[in-house]
Amino acid sequence: GVLLELDPDVGWVIGAEIGVGHLSVVVANLRAGVSWRRQAFFDRSDSLESVLDQLTSLLRQARQHCQRRGRPLMGAGIAVPGLVDVSSGTLVFEPNMGWREVPLREALSTRLHLPIYVDNDANAAALAERYFGVAQDVDTFAYVVANIGLGAGLVIGGQIYSGVSGYAGEAGHTTIDPDGPICRCGNQGCWERLASLRALVERVDAALQAGEASRLRDRNGDGPDSMTLEVILQAARQGDAVAQRALSETGTYLGIGIANLVNLLNPTLVAFGGSLSLAHEYLLPRAREVVESRAIGESRRAARIVLSKFQADACVIGGVALVLHELLSRPRLVLPEPALAGAVLQRREMVPG
């Protein structure tokens, strides 16, 4: 027999992330090798139309990059936070920005005349790890993505578990503390409100407002919106007690939620990614301690808790994975030209020894 493998440069794909306050777009080959990237920012008060205009501009720049390099474009995958109707490409509800019933696939397809695939950011990030990252040989795992919000992608038997209505994985809105802070989803004490980047920043701000001594006091500016993860990490590495305690508390709640996932799913692996994972040196050790003390022994011993390969890039590379997933699932729908059908697979040479 002749071994075949996917030719990674038979076509390129666009991966995009709509985050809370930011947009990220990359052009990559079919092995997630990135050749171009751009990022833009917006205010949460900006209109949906203006955000879509920004995203459309970035996607057009990405398409022009492919054209200049002479590469066929297979499509664009869009990873978004919140509830997504994958069948129609509609963002049903995003609580942090207050968006409801946004027909993303229709809007972007009309503007760009490209195949567009849309899914929840945690599901997309889980696919990225499944195809390109730490979960390539794992059939059952959970992917926890923590940015301003927090969610989980669940992979069971090698497939994303979507649930009856397609909204499974909203672990960020499971209740951790019934008397905890109000979440933007309307619930109280959600995991997202206790273990996200927003939660970390609010812990630091609360300590500063209480008058605690910290090198972060001069960096607090106009409140929690001006405090960044990079600033908090720098202070923690310099021994700042406020920063270190805020990270430890966030790691504790991260671990509680992961322990719940371990007990529910009995996974081989739990991967942690998103922008908050840049603080993994503080968060993961504490989270592992909590999982060790709270998860059921048999499930705990079976599960490895690891850092995502892509960390802050998890969701935008997830957009790339969405297109590859469609290509592998329904190749006739996404090949840009019929002539390319025979070129997708290339012969893999066997090297003696």
Side-chain angles (χ1 to χ4, degrees):
V2 177
L3 291 180
L4 300 176
E5 63 182 4
L6 201 66
D7 180 356
D9 289 306
V10 69
W12 284 357
V13 299
I14 297 173
E17 174 194 4
I18 302 177
V20 180
H22 75 274
L23 303 169
S24 296
V25 177
V26 300
V27 174
N29 67 15
L30 297 180
R31 287 186 186 154
V34 174
S35 65
W36 181 95
R37 69 167 64 231
R38 293 291 186 275
Q39 191 170 35
F41 299 91
F42 61 89
D43 291 328
R44 295 184 213 177
S45 59
D46 288 352
S47 70
L48 172 62
E49 191 66 24
S50 70
V51 175
L52 290 181
D53 286 343
Q54 274 190 285
L55 178 60
T56 300
S57 176
L58 292 177
L59 293 174
R60 285 176 175 154
Q61 293 174 45
R63 182 170 60 188
Q64 289 167 2
H65 172 77
C66 295
Q67 292 169 344
R68 287 194 299 269
R69 297 297 180 90
R71 298 291 185 181
L73 183 56
M74 301 291 218
I78 316 295
V80 296
L83 301 179
V84 177
D85 181 345
V86 176
S87 63
S88 66
T90 299
L91 175 59
V92 177
F93 178 47
E94 201 299 304
N96 287 296
M97 294 182 287
W99 293 353
R100 290 183 181 272
E101 301 298 333
V102 182
L104 280 174
R105 178 188 295 166
E106 178 183 345
L108 294 174
S109 296
T110 300
R111 295 172 181 221
L112 297 161
H113 307 291
L114 279 175
I116 302 291
Y117 309 101
V118 183
D119 205 342
N120 169 265
D121 54 3
N123 287 343
L127 280 178
E129 293 297 337
R130 172 71 171 156
Y131 283 122
F132 315 120
V134 298
Q136 290 183 66
D137 299 318
V138 179
D139 285 335
T140 300
F141 70 95
Y143 190 98
V144 177
V145 58
N147 297 302
I148 294 295
L150 184 148
L154 308 178
V155 176
I156 300 175
Q159 301 294 324
I160 292 288
Y161 178 71
S162 300
V164 174
S165 303
Y167 306 139
E170 285 296 322
H173 297 292
T174 56
T175 301
I176 299 295
D177 179 1
D179 298 318
I182 299 295
C183 182
R184 292 182 187 272
C185 75
N187 201 353
Q188 189 171 358
C190 291
W191 189 21
E192 175 176 300
R193 287 295 285 116
L194 298 166
S196 63
L197 176 56
R198 178 186 174 196
L200 171 66
V201 170
E202 288 181 349
R203 286 189 177 95
V204 170
D205 185 63
L208 298 179
Q209 294 297 326
E212 294 190 40
S214 171
R215 64 179 65 244
L216 291 169
R217 180 165 301 283
D218 294 336
R219 302 297 299 270
N220 201 33
D222 298 322
D225 287 342
S226 65
M227 185 68 66
T228 66
L229 178 61
E230 291 75 14
V231 169
I232 295 171
L233 276 175
Q234 182 181 26
R237 289 164 182 158
Q238 294 172 345
D240 187 89
V242 166
Q244 290 179 346
R245 186 176 69 249
L247 285 162
S248 178
E249 290 175 1
T250 304
T252 295
Y253 284 109
L254 178 66
I256 291 172
I258 291 176
N260 290 339
L261 287 176
V262 168
N263 287 341
L264 285 170
L265 189 60
N266 188 204
T268 303
L269 178 147
V270 178
F272 173 51
S275 58
L276 187 60
S277 70
L278 296 176
H280 63 89
E281 65 194 90
Y282 292 96
L283 299 176
L284 278 184
R286 179 59 187 143
R288 290 186 181 113
E289 289 176 0
V290 173
V291 172
E292 186 69 21
S293 66
R294 289 180 176 270
I296 295 172
E298 288 73 12
S299 296
R300 183 186 68 239
R301 286 187 286 272
R304 293 181 292 124
I305 301 169
V306 302
L307 181 66
S308 160
K309 176 179 178 179
F310 300 108
Q311 293 184 249
D313 272 350
C315 298
V316 72
I317 299 299
V320 174
L322 291 177
V323 181
L324 178 61
H325 186 67
E326 286 295 319
L327 172 63
L328 296 179
S329 302
R330 289 181 288 273
R332 291 181 183 177
L333 296 180
V334 295
L335 283 174
E337 299 174 20
L340 287 173
V344 173
L345 295 178
Q346 64 180 4
R347 180 170 178 162
R348 182 179 177 186
E349 298 296 334
M350 298 296 291
V351 178

